[in-house]
Every structure is written in structure tokens, then in C-alpha cells.
């Protein structure tokens, strides 16, 4: 049994069909990277997986439980899925530490002192223990995103979904966030939507190339970059490598 199973997911908004039958699996501690042009349904797919925006058709399974089943306690299962957003989604009125500990207290019902210890531990893991008492307004974009990652990690999830975690950041801050993600690779399952081709090439166990709401091709970084089967994959990766440079 795979840890996460996505089976034939379809999603439309009105007459606009965004996802046209997406299927793939993620195993324990595996890093999968989803690439593709903007507007091809990658972010929608992540929201379908954690039921922020349930699919019209298809199934999502986590640890043998079906998330898409209406009778399932979605809040309980959602605790097992971390989500790191493009625009951070931090609470601006709370310190970095409270941003990380509040979920532990409210959702996992852990007492305040233990939640604080756990939060400090996770901030340390992303290199931000010195910023624990600062508010988001005092942090750089890269630091905010690392708080977002610490918050996801604190809940001890089975998998973390990353929705273009570096696209809102200044170029010089992207490396800090990607470095944290590289360290996590192999320790926690990650499903990452990104335009960072160097990260995809160096860190992914598998790359999934999506276009027009479908998976065009998937494979190891070596297969995808060196020997893509589909002409469209070759063209896309050729353009992005030129654009983003070879890492």
C-alpha cells in the first residue's frame, strides 16, 4: 500500500475543466516534484488532495483511509497533511514561536509548555531559533516561509504539500528555503509544486510534468532531464533550463 494514493482526480470550475484525470502515488519519505506551466492545475491538485477544494470525481487515500469519502472525519486526517502556502499564511499578530505552537495546542491539545518546546525545536530545525519572538512583519519573506515549514513539521505530518513555496520570494532568499527542504528530503514525504528546476533535478525521487490538467510524463530526474520520452517534456525542460540555468 502506498502512503498517498491519488486516483483519477477531476476538477472543473463552471465549464472550465482544470484537472482531467490525475493519478499517482507517494510513498513514505519520498519527494515528488510537480512541474509545468502556470495555470495547468498544479495548485488546484494540492487543494483537491487535502480537501481544501474537494475534487468532482476521483479518490484520495492516505494511509489506507479515503479522504474523499464524505463520512470520513476530514479534520482528523488533515492533521496528517502539512501544507506550505505560496504566500506564507502566517498569523501576523502572533510571534514566529506562537505561529508554530498554536496548532499543537488547539488541534493536538498539547499543553502550552510542551507545545512551546516543540515549536522551538522546529524553529531551530529551520535555522530560526533566534527569531522565535519576532512577528511576521519583522521577518524576511524567506524567514516567513521557513516559519511556515516549521509550523507544518510541528504537527508531525505523514506528508507535506508545498505550493510553489519560493515563488513569492526575492531571488536571494530562495536558497535558504530550498536548503531547508533539501535537509527534509528523505525524512518526511513531500509533494512539491515548484518552478525551481535545480531543486527538482537534485532532490526529487520522481518528477511529474503536468500540462492542461493531465500528467504528460513522469520519471526520475535523470530520465526527465536526460531522456524525456515526450517531445513536449523535452521542449518544456529545455526552455526552463535555459531560463533558470543549469544547477
Amino acid at each position: 500500500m502506498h502512503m498517498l494514493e491519488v486516483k483519477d482526480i477531476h476538477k472543473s470550475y463552471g465549464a472550465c475543466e482544470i484537472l482531467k484525470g490525475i493519478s499517482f502515488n507517494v510513498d513514505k519519505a519520498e519527494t515528488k516534484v510537480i512541474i509545468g506551466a502556470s495555470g495547468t492545475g498544479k495548485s488546484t491538485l494540492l487543494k483537491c488532495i487535502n480537501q481544501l477544494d474537494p475534487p468532482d470525481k476521483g479518490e484520495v487515500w492516505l494511509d489506507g483511509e479515503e479522504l474523499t469519502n464524505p463520512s470520513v472525519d476530514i479534520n482528523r486526517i488533515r492533521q496528517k497533511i502539512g501544507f506550505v502556502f505560496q504566500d506564507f499564511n502566517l498569523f501576523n499578530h502572533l510571534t514566529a514561536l506562537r505561529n508554530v505552537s498554536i496548532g499543537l495546542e488547539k488541534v493536538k491539545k498539547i499543553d502550552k509548555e510542551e507545545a512551546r518546546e516543540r515549536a522551538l525545536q522546529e524553529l531551530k530545525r529551520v535555522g530560526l531559533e533566534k527569531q522565535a519572538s519576532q512577528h511576521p512583519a519583522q521577518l524576511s519573506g524567506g524567514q516567513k516561509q521557513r516559519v511556515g515549514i516549521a509550523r507544518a513539521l510541528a504537527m508531525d505530518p505523514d506528508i507535506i504539500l508545498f505550493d510553489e513555496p519560493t515563488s513569492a520570494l526575492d531571488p536571494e532568499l530562495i536558497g535558504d528555503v530550498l536548503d531547508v527542504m533539501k535537509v527534509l528530503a528523505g525524512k518526511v514525504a513531500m509533494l512539491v509544486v515548484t518552478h525551481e528546476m535545480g531543486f527538482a533535478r537534485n532532490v526529487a525521487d520522481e518528477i511529474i510534468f503536468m500540462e492542461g490538467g493531465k500528467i504528460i510524463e513522469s520519471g526520475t530526474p535523470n530520465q526527465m532531464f536526460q531522456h524525456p520520452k515526450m517531445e513536449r517534456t523535452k521542449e518544456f525542460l529545455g526552455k526552463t533550463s535555459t531560463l533558470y540555468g543549469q544547477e
Side-chain angles (χ1 to χ4, degrees):
M1 186 180 79
H2 300 284
M3 197 186 68
L4 175 74
E5 295 182 65
V6 175
K7 302 178 179 178
D8 196 32
I9 291 292
H10 290 254
K11 181 74 185 174
S12 296
Y13 295 109
C16 186
E17 198 180 5
I18 306 287
L19 299 174
K20 303 171 183 175
I22 299 282
S23 301
F24 64 90
N25 304 312
V26 181
D27 289 320
K28 196 176 159 88
E30 192 177 24
T31 300
K32 289 215 172 170
V33 172
I34 302 176
I35 61 170
S38 296
T40 199
K42 304 185 299 295
S43 296
T44 302
L45 174 62
L46 293 188
K47 289 181 184 138
C48 285
I49 289 172
N50 80 344
Q51 306 296 299
L52 273 176
D53 202 352
D56 301 327
K57 181 186 164 206
E59 298 171 5
V60 179
W61 293 75
L62 184 70
D63 292 331
E65 283 192 276
E66 189 194 346
L67 278 65
T68 33
N69 182 334
S71 66
V72 82
D73 177 357
I74 192 62
N75 290 328
R76 178 179 57 82
I77 294 203
R78 223 182 250 145
Q79 289 179 38
K80 300 179 176 187
I81 306 175
F83 204 113
V84 175
F85 299 86
Q86 191 170 340
D87 50 4
F88 325 129
N89 273 21
L90 298 181
F91 295 113
N92 289 323
H93 64 293
L94 299 180
T95 63
L97 186 70
R98 287 295 290 146
N99 263 286
V100 179
S101 68
I102 194 166
L104 292 169
E105 290 174 34
K106 301 268 190 268
V107 181
K108 291 219 161 180
K109 309 291 185 224
I110 290 172
D111 76 71
K112 201 161 187 170
E113 199 42 52
E114 195 187 328
R116 186 191 145 78
E117 282 302 307
R118 183 69 199 270
L120 264 176
Q121 205 180 326
E122 294 305 349
L123 284 173
K124 199 170 187 171
R125 196 166 164 186
V126 300
L128 288 179
E129 67 270 40
K130 291 194 175 85
Q131 283 76 21
S133 61
Q134 294 185 351
H135 285 74
Q138 299 165 281
L139 301 173
S140 71
Q143 289 171 328
K144 285 183 208 175
Q145 194 55 291
R146 284 187 281 154
V147 172
I149 294 172
R151 176 178 60 183
L153 285 168
M155 300 299 281
D156 197 21
D158 289 349
I159 186 166
I160 302 182
L161 312 179
F162 291 85
D163 187 11
E164 298 197 19
T166 57
S167 64
L169 302 180
D170 293 333
E172 69 269 24
L173 302 175
I174 288 172
D176 292 345
V177 173
L178 293 179
D179 286 345
V180 166
M181 291 169 68
K182 280 177 190 165
V183 171
L184 296 179
K187 297 189 178 84
V188 58
M190 300 196 286
L191 183 61
V192 185
V193 169
T194 188
H195 294 294
E196 297 295 331
M197 292 301 149
F199 178 83
R201 182 186 289 234
N202 296 324
V203 183
D205 294 301
E206 184 178 46
I207 296 173
I208 295 170
F209 172 46
M210 269 178 72
E211 186 162 82
K214 291 182 173 158
I215 293 176
I216 303 287
E217 186 172 352
S218 61
T220 64
N222 191 33
Q223 284 168 325
M224 296 291 278
F225 280 93
Q226 310 299 333
H227 315 286
K229 294 188 184 80
M230 309 297 287
E231 197 50 47
R232 181 64 194 113
T233 312
K234 198 171 174 178
E235 188 190 340
F236 180 81
L237 289 173
K239 278 186 180 154
T240 50
S241 296
T242 315
L243 190 60
Y244 294 102
Q246 304 285 353
E247 277 188 40

